[in-house]
Amino acid sequence: AQQGYERFARDELALAISFFEQAVDIYKGDFLAEESYEAWIDLKRDSLRSYYIEILMTMARIYEEQEQPFQAVEYLKKAIQCDPLHEEAYQNLMIVYADAGMTKTAAALYERWRQIAISELGVEPDPETRNIYNKIQAIHFKHNQVIQFKKR
């Protein structure tokens, strides 16, 4: 992963992708998942999971910038699978779907996230997430015309 970030910083995207894909393949789930009693294991587990998600999000961003939405979707879905409460992954996946003209899918994803946020966290989605959803709704009601917008 570190080599991937070094290549990414030098704009060597093909090499960065290769290293990131290797890192993603190496990650096989939570560190010592069967051991839940030691604080140091929890810290290491959380650290590795966060790093894995960061790599997935970076891969999605690269593919989105290269206008390869289906590859971006793959990595964003992996991030959500790893951490079902990762709101930024939901936001980015909604954007990728909307940019690809899949506004109904993006809106359904928002509703899914909203239900998770309420039931698991006891909160409504972040204002930024609602803003993305509102833009998607506006797109959908304008005869399904796709207007490009990016999170950042």
Side-chain angles (χ1 to χ4, degrees):
Q2 185 59 40
Q3 290 177 355
Y5 281 111
E6 290 170 7
R7 298 307 193 278
F8 182 63
R10 291 190 286 219
D11 208 28
E12 299 172 356
L13 296 183
L15 281 172
I17 288 170
S18 175
F19 284 118
F20 288 141
E21 285 176 346
Q22 289 176 44
V24 167
D25 288 343
I26 289 171
Y27 188 83
K28 301 297 183 203
D30 283 343
F31 177 71
L32 296 176
E34 66 282 352
E35 299 291 332
S36 60
Y37 304 114
E38 299 288 333
W40 74 270
I41 293 174
D42 288 339
L43 290 173
K44 184 69 169 177
R45 181 181 300 135
D46 291 345
S47 174
L48 290 171
R49 185 184 313 118
S50 293
Y51 196 45
Y52 173 69
I53 292 170
E54 177 185 318
I55 294 165
L56 295 172
M57 298 295 287
T58 300
M59 291 289 292
R61 187 169 41 254
I62 290 170
Y63 281 122
E64 183 183 7
E65 289 171 1
Q66 292 182 338
E67 297 183 14
Q68 297 180 26
F70 297 108
Q71 289 84 352
V73 164
E74 175 186 338
Y75 287 98
L76 291 166
K77 283 182 173 181
K78 285 182 182 182
I80 290 169
Q81 182 179 11
C82 185
D83 181 1
L85 302 178
H86 197 282
E87 189 164 9
E88 183 181 349
Y90 284 93
Q91 292 171 347
N92 289 338
L93 186 53
M94 288 166 52
I95 290 168
V96 171
Y97 280 145
D99 285 349
M102 302 169 64
T103 56
K104 286 184 180 181
T105 304
L109 182 64
Y110 171 81
E111 291 300 335
R112 179 174 146 212
W113 166 246
R114 185 175 178 276
Q115 291 303 315
I116 291 169
I118 291 169
S119 66
E120 297 292 324
L121 303 173
V123 298
E124 287 286 334
D126 185 77
E128 183 175 355
T129 307
R130 289 192 306 269
N131 185 39
I132 292 167
Y133 173 72
N134 290 335
K135 287 180 181 180
I136 290 166
Q137 289 297 89
I139 292 167
H140 181 70
F141 290 117
K142 288 183 180 180
H143 308 288
N144 293 326
Q145 294 176 357
V146 176
I147 301 168
Q148 298 288 320
F149 63 94
K150 299 291 180 190
K151 183 167 184 237
R152 294 185 190 160

